[in-house]
Amino acid sequence: EPFGALDPVTRDRLAREMREVHDRLGLTTLMVTHDMAEALLVADRILVLDKGRIVADAAPAALIADPGHPAAEALVAVPRAQAAAIAALAGSGA
């Protein structure tokens, strides 16, 4: 959880900066996180583990389109639901 203890603004900025360094230097980076939104926004590829086994291995867009395993679907469902809830708040004028 590399950015777990940070406030949301700092966390987002550091994740973007890490991604820029990763791309500029052509690095291979392994990041472990339980924050699926962070993984979807930062990663080239996401591996989902369930009971110690890899049950999904895909690019973020492919994982969203077809999680392929109940554990991966459960993880993708959380940021989907959060995005829908935020959109509903914005639509309600709150």
Side-chain angles (χ1 to χ4, degrees), residues 43 53 72 76:
R53 297 184 185 268
V76 170

Side-chain angles (χ1 to χ4, degrees), residues 46-57 67 69-72 75:
I46 298 172
L47 277 74
V48 176
L49 293 139
D50 184 36
K51 297 176 185 149
R53 297 184 185 268
I54 296 172
V55 296
D57 177 359
H69 187 277
L75 290 173

Side-chain angles (χ1 to χ4, degrees), residues 26-40:
L27 299 173
T28 297
T29 307
L30 175 66
M31 188 170 87
V32 176
T33 184
H34 291 91
D35 184 331
M36 197 60 184
E38 180 177 76
L40 290 166

Side-chain angles (χ1 to χ4, degrees), residues 52-89:
R53 297 184 185 268
I54 296 172
V55 296
D57 177 359
L63 189 63
I64 289 170
D66 181 16
H69 187 277
E73 175 59 45
L75 290 173
V76 170
V78 172
R80 275 190 193 135
Q82 290 171 332
I86 291 169
L89 286 172

